[in-house]
Amino acid sequence: EKPFSDGLDSLSTFNKTGVTAMAGKLSGRTILVTGASQGIGAEVAKHCAAEGATVILVARRQKRMEKVYDEIVAAGSPEPFAVCFDLLTAEENEFAQLAATIGEATGGRLDGIVHCASPLEFQTVGDWVKQYRINTVGPMGLTRAFTPLLKQSDDASVLFVSESHSEKAQAYWGGFGASKAAVNYLALSIADEW
């Protein structure tokens, strides 16, 4: 059985092999990637792992995340951590618990976050709220919860994945584009505060 967590339990079963980072640009780094079960998030996670990082996979769908997990391990990269966590429903206490649990599991090590979680299919008013929740509120909550761990790293980074519809409006991309424009603003604001 693969070592997966629901994000609120102990991660002590994760990374059982004790494999440390292999040589690469991210050797010895610990990077959290949201949306890591598919698309850009999965590719970012695999690339970071291939560069030697210990990756923390965060996504809603365990089955899809298992595939990414298996691909990372099969490639000989450091064994990742994997956490099923839903940015759509998480509140501040769940973000804080996730940060505490991951901090404990990694010995207080987190060198970066790459925010990739983002659904594309929403357009109703309620679904616009979901877009903002996943694309803007989720990254803000995670970044805020993990800031104490990130500040312990000598050169931590937080990346917010955006896309062209956040800069130039186009039909049928309203909720997604607007929420990504908001995350662009969030990233600039956090950068100025940091």
Side-chain angles (χ1 to χ4, degrees), residues 46-65:
K46 289 186 281 188
H47 180 76
C48 288
E51 287 293 334
T54 298
V55 178
I56 303 165
L57 307 170
V58 177
R60 290 182 295 160
R61 295 181 176 95
Q62 181 173 334
K63 293 281 187 208
R64 290 180 183 176
M65 195 166 33

Side-chain angles (χ1 to χ4, degrees), residues 15 19-33 36 40-57 68-81 114:
N15 210 317
V19 173
T20 56
M22 53 199 248
K25 293 176 186 174
L26 297 175
S27 181
R29 305 291 184 158
T30 302
I31 309 293
L32 185 146
V33 181
I40 293 171
E43 295 305 313
V44 166
K46 289 186 281 188
H47 180 76
C48 288
E51 287 293 334
T54 298
V55 178
I56 303 165
L57 307 170
V68 176
Y69 178 98
D70 289 344
E71 288 175 13
I72 289 171
V73 171
S77 298
E79 183 178 6
F81 295 99
V114 184

Side-chain angles (χ1 to χ4, degrees), residues 73-149:
V73 171
S77 298
E79 183 178 6
F81 295 99
V83 184
C84 291
F85 191 81
D86 192 349
L87 295 173
L88 184 61
T89 60
E91 294 293 336
E92 193 156 350
N93 59 333
E94 285 96 5
F95 287 120
Q97 180 61 48
L98 178 66
T101 302
I102 288 175
E104 183 179 320
T106 64
R109 180 79 193 242
L110 183 65
D111 299 295
I113 300 173
V114 184
H115 294 287
C116 297
S118 184
L120 294 174
E121 69 274 8
F122 304 126
Q123 285 296 305
T124 67
V125 170
D127 290 335
W128 267 57
V129 172
K130 291 177 185 177
Q131 285 284 359
Y132 273 91
R133 182 87 181 136
I134 293 169
N135 291 332
T136 310
V137 177
M140 183 281 299
L142 274 177
T143 302
R144 181 174 178 205
F146 282 99
T147 294
L149 281 177

